[in-house]
Amino acid sequence: MRTKCRFLMFAAGLLALPAILGAQDSQEAPVGFGGFTTQGSVSVGGRFTDVKGYEPMYLELFDLQPGVRLMDFNAFGEAKEGTNPFADSYSMSMSNLGGDPFPTVQFSVIKNNLYDLRVNWRQAYYYWNQNDDVILPIAPVAKLSTGLTNNHDWATVRKFGSVDFTLHATNHLRFHFNYYRTSDSGSTFTTASPDFLDSPGYWGGYARANPYPLYAPINDETNRFTGGMDYTFHSWTFHYSLGYQTFNAITNATNQTSPLVSINPAASSATEPLTSFTWSQYRRLTTPISELSVVGKPTSKLELRGNYLYYRYTGPLSFDQSFNGIAPDADGVLTPYAVSQSVRGTVKEPDHIGGMGFTYNFKDWWSFNADYRYSRMSSEGIGNFSSLFNGTTPATNMDDIVWKNGVSDFDFTMDLTPIGTLVIRPGIHLMKADVLTSEFGVTDPALTLRTKTAWPEISVGYEPSKKFSIRGDLHSFCNGASYTAITPHTQVGGRVVAQWHITPKLSFDNELNLTNSKLIDTNYRSNFHANASTLSYALNDRFSLFGAFSYESFYAQGDIVYIRGTPPLNDFLQDQEINRVWQGGLDVKPTRHFGLRFSGNYVRSTGLGYVSGEPPAYRPLYWPLATGTVFYDIPKAGRISLDLQRTYYIEQIVTANNFQADLLTIRWTRDF
């Protein structure tokens, strides 16, 4: 009640602003600031939320919290020519500051023909928390009363920042410097099965049947420093960058309660508890950076291009793990156990990537492009492994594993414009991949494979009039071999996009996507079909509306073969989904200063997913969302807007995830 009272007082105060701030309508001149003529806009406001039901599901889909926000801030300043010795223009843009999940900041300063400085920062919050304290109707055996959820949840934040500086030494020579940083941190909840080096054969059934939930916060960061030059000589441009990059990652996992029981309802969790589980891993990689590219036109009809990139990642890694509990021994008798193991190693990953290509224009309406790219990526891991089981003689092992992947790509396309309204682009992509894995210099045939792929395609664009246009593509590929059980042997797909301006005020858009893949060896196939249509009508700048409908169908199946554990080890997986989305909206401005907008989505998703005939745990679901906006332009004071959003999330099987939410946002926007 107190929250509602505060909201009503705040809303009443904002709605009273038209009477308080009313003034004559006049166009204001740009603001003078520091010798710059500056103009822009600012939008601030507050949000009120009311969530009922399972709030973590609301955070997963929206993560919009109550509070005051800087919605948007944009400013652009320009100095009169020759009046400022340090800068000719600047710009700043900020959005969603104050707690929203995707805030951004951008800033730039430019001195014409001297330097260009750009700074970017953005942040992304990721949240996932399905309700794991539920009873799911997926038990394959009659004696079971609960089903199995994945118990994987996270609340992490990823930050991106960069600084780019370009110095114009001459009209043909530029120096550039760049710093880029990204980090990922936060809380994650995952599962792990207690297994170890040289575990006895009977241990496989216990490890397979008993995943235990763990708390595993993550923390990793990447820093990249580069500097280089760009030089233009006649019709040739040369680019070179030299730098250094570091990557650090730390993960520590522990059990939050003791004793800990397995998440698998089919396991004997009560009699096979885990007393403690610790898991710590660290990895650091560093690499020099060298990037070279050249583009030139020796003749008016011929363009040549080439590039070469080199990286050499190296660094240490460590892994320590210990756990103890109760598990069945070789005779099936429940017995206390204790395990510890550790890994110390180094990794080397040199990468060489080079390419060359050209474009030749035979005629104004006919040209072709050819590009070849070769990538040589290698990884060598040298490690010392050790494990201790119930105080017996430790198991130790040293391994030297080398993985090499050489990929040759060749692309050939032609651009044909036989008439001004028709564009045809046929082409083919050829690839050869050689994967070689060896241990102590001995090739592992199970992990070594050569794959050849042919990928023909053709795209067409046709615009017979300003009222109608259509474009699309058709492609297929065929692999000579498949490296994994879900690497398709063949795939056929296509895409068509059509636009029809029925009248100057009425238009219709439609997009169709089809993709079919299969691999007969593992009974794997997948089909994806999607279609989206939009009908728009704009009477004038004061009234417009639209309606849209999209349909997606996905089907996948395949065989599963488990390496270890209690038979049966062969399963069949199937996943089928159908998603439908209805959309609609209108924009009305009955007077010069007053307007309103409305838009709504209705999502319905149904499907079936199971392993070896288990009933589905998820689907169908319904998700309606409606947004209404009312705004009023107060002369000289700005625009006051009220956004009201209402949404429901309804799962028919796992109703514990359901929620409903109301969001009210009050914004003030001012141009300057």
Side-chain angles (χ1 to χ4, degrees):
M1 180 63 70
R2 184 178 303 173
T3 302
K4 291 184 178 179
C5 290
R6 285 199 299 262
F7 156 68
L8 291 173
M9 294 174 63
F10 182 49
L14 286 176
L15 292 174
L17 281 176
I20 299 173
L21 300 176
Q24 63 180 6
D25 188 9
S26 62
Q27 185 68 33
E28 296 187 32
V31 178
F33 174 75
F36 292 89
T37 301
T38 300
Q39 55 186 343
S41 66
V42 60
S43 179
V44 297
R47 181 185 298 116
F48 303 85
T49 63
D50 182 18
V51 182
K52 295 176 179 155
Y54 191 60
E55 188 169 351
M57 195 68 198
Y58 164 79
L59 297 177
E60 177 185 318
L61 296 176
F62 293 95
D63 201 13
L64 297 175
Q65 303 281 4
V68 178
R69 300 286 186 271
L70 174 63
M71 308 295 186
D72 286 291
F73 176 84
N74 297 282
F76 175 77
E78 189 171 15
K80 291 184 179 180
E81 186 175 356
T83 60
N84 193 311
F86 303 105
D88 291 324
S89 64
Y90 79 91
S91 66
M92 175 175 284
S93 175
M94 298 183 288
S95 63
N96 300 318
L97 299 185
D100 277 358
F102 303 106
T104 63
V105 176
Q106 296 176 318
F107 176 73
S108 68
V109 180
I110 298 174
K111 180 65 177 176
N112 297 332
N113 300 319
L114 182 57
Y115 75 87
D116 186 331
L117 173 65
R118 300 178 186 272
V119 181
N120 293 277
W121 176 86
R122 59 189 174 96
Q123 197 166 262
Y125 291 88
Y126 300 100
Y127 193 91
W128 177 279
N129 190 342
Q130 304 282 299
N131 196 324
D132 296 312
D133 298 326
V134 296
I135 297 177
L136 300 179
I138 65 171
V141 182
K143 67 178 182 179
L144 301 178
S145 60
T146 60
L148 178 63
T149 63
N150 57 31
N151 280 257
H152 285 198
D153 306 310
W154 58 82
T156 61
V157 56
R158 195 164 183 84
K159 300 178 181 179
F160 307 85
S162 65
V163 179
D164 295 276
F165 180 75
T166 301
L167 179 65
H168 300 262
T170 69
N171 292 334
H172 302 285
L173 178 63
R174 298 180 301 277
F175 296 97
H176 54 84
F177 305 91
N178 169 267
Y179 170 66
Y180 174 81
R181 174 183 171 84
T182 180
S183 65
D184 195 6
S185 60
S187 302
T188 67
F189 295 86
T190 186
T191 57
S193 295
D195 210 346
F196 57 95
L197 174 68
D198 284 347
S199 61
Y202 65 83
W203 192 267
Y206 166 72
R208 176 187 167 194
N210 287 279
Y212 292 92
L214 301 174
Y215 172 62
I218 60 171
N219 188 2
D220 65 67
E221 62 180 30
T222 299
N223 293 278
R224 176 186 173 101
F225 307 84
T226 59
M229 58 174 287
D230 294 285
Y231 182 69
T232 302
F233 179 74
H234 296 298
S235 61
W236 292 85
T237 300
F238 302 86
H239 169 85
Y240 182 70
S241 291
L242 181 67
Y244 190 72
Q245 181 171 310
T246 65
F247 170 77
N248 295 277
I250 300 174
T251 303
N252 295 298
T254 59
N255 55 304
Q256 288 191 296
T257 61
S258 181
L260 194 65
V261 296
S262 168
I263 68 170
N264 186 1
S268 303
S269 302
T271 58
E272 299 174 359
L274 190 68
T275 305
S276 68
F277 192 110
T278 61
W279 160 23
S280 176
Q281 68 181 46
Y282 167 77
R283 186 175 188 183
R284 174 178 172 81
L285 291 174
T286 62
T287 179
I289 298 171
S290 179
E291 300 174 342
L292 172 67
S293 63
V294 180
V295 178
K297 297 190 68 174
T299 69
S300 60
K301 293 187 175 183
L302 177 65
E303 177 186 279
L304 300 177
R305 49 189 172 269
N307 62 80
Y308 173 70
L309 292 79
Y310 171 75
Y311 307 94
R312 189 177 187 272
Y313 294 95
T314 59
L317 60 90
S318 65
F319 175 77
D320 294 286
Q321 189 180 64
S322 64
F323 50 89
N324 60 80
I326 297 176
D329 61 12
D331 299 322
V333 179
L334 295 176
T335 307
Y337 71 89
V339 173
S340 64
Q341 62 179 340
S342 64
V343 178
R344 295 293 181 272
T346 58
V347 176
K348 298 178 182 178
E349 299 179 3
D351 298 336
H352 300 267
I353 304 171
M356 61 181 66
F358 68 90
T359 298
Y360 190 80
N361 298 300
F362 280 101
K363 303 288 184 179
D364 293 338
W365 54 272
W366 179 25
S367 66
F368 70 83
N369 312 276
D371 288 276
Y372 174 76
R373 181 184 179 94
Y374 180 74
S375 305
R376 181 67 172 179
M377 295 169 283
S378 304
S379 175
E380 180 179 10
I382 301 175
N384 292 290
F385 307 82
S386 65
S387 66
L388 186 65
F389 180 44
N390 289 336
T392 59
T393 303
T396 60
N397 187 20
M398 180 180 178
D399 222 338
D400 184 350
I401 298 176
V402 176
W403 177 85
K404 297 180 180 180
N405 188 10
V407 180
S408 296
D409 286 283
F410 177 74
D411 282 291
F412 176 80
T413 59
M414 286 195 299
D415 291 307
L416 303 170
T417 312
I419 56 177
T421 58
L422 176 64
V423 177
I424 304 174
R425 192 175 196 187
I428 188 169
H429 177 200
L430 302 175
M431 183 182 72
K432 179 173 72 72
D434 291 296
V435 180
L436 185 147
T437 304
S438 62
E439 186 174 6
F440 288 113
V442 179
T443 300
D444 185 347
L447 301 176
T448 298
L449 185 69
R450 167 172 286 187
T451 304
K452 295 181 179 180
T453 303
W455 190 322
E457 61 182 356
I458 183 171
S459 61
V460 179
Y462 182 54
E463 187 177 3
S465 68
K466 296 296 183 181
K467 291 185 176 182
F468 180 77
S469 66
I470 185 170
R471 65 184 187 277
D473 63 78
L474 177 66
H475 67 266
S476 67
F477 77 72
C478 180
N479 280 326
S482 295
Y483 195 75
T484 72
I486 59 173
T487 303
H489 172 63
T490 61
Q491 184 182 92
V492 178
R495 174 173 174 263
V496 178
V497 179
Q499 294 180 321
W500 181 24
H501 297 278
I502 304 172
T503 70
K505 299 177 181 180
L506 182 65
S507 62
F508 176 76
D509 298 86
N510 185 267
E511 180 174 349
L512 174 67
N513 285 279
L514 302 173
T515 302
N516 299 317
S517 309
K518 65 181 178 180
L519 174 58
I520 298 177
D521 293 345
T522 61
N523 193 30
Y524 170 77
R525 70 183 181 94
S526 68
N527 307 101
F528 176 76
H529 302 160
N531 183 256
S533 301
T534 302
L535 185 65
S536 304
Y537 178 74
L539 178 64
N540 49 44
D541 59 353
R542 292 194 175 187
F543 180 82
S544 62
L545 56 84
F546 78 95
F549 173 74
S550 64
Y551 175 90
E552 291 183 355
S553 172
F554 173 77
Y555 178 85
Q557 71 171 39
D559 295 331
I560 306 173
V561 180
Y562 298 101
I563 298 177
R564 301 177 62 192
T566 305
L569 298 178
N570 298 326
D571 279 336
F572 176 75
L573 170 69
Q574 178 178 302
D575 185 17
Q576 183 177 2
E577 299 177 9
I578 296 177
N579 302 314
R580 299 176 179 89
V581 181
W582 291 265
Q583 295 176 293
L586 59 86
D587 192 335
V588 181
K589 193 174 182 182
T591 68
R592 181 178 180 183
H593 299 292
F594 173 74
L596 57 89
R597 301 187 183 98
F598 174 83
S599 63
N601 299 343
Y602 180 79
V603 180
R604 173 173 167 78
S605 181
T606 60
L608 178 69
Y610 62 83
V611 176
S612 294
E614 293 181 357
Y618 304 98
R619 304 279 194 279
L621 64 84
Y622 305 86
W623 183 18
L625 168 64
T627 302
T629 299
V630 178
F631 65 86
Y632 185 80
D633 293 321
I634 305 172
K636 300 186 69 175
R639 170 176 290 186
I640 297 294
S641 303
L642 279 77
D643 302 325
L644 178 61
Q645 293 177 289
R646 186 170 181 82
T647 184
Y648 298 87
Y649 179 83
I650 303 170
E651 290 186 20
Q652 289 191 347
I653 295 180
V654 188
T655 58
N657 286 328
N658 297 350
F659 73 88
Q660 66 180 59
D662 297 301
L663 293 81
L664 177 64
T665 304
I666 303 177
R667 292 178 291 121
W668 171 67
T669 303
R670 176 75 158 84
D671 295 332
F672 57 85

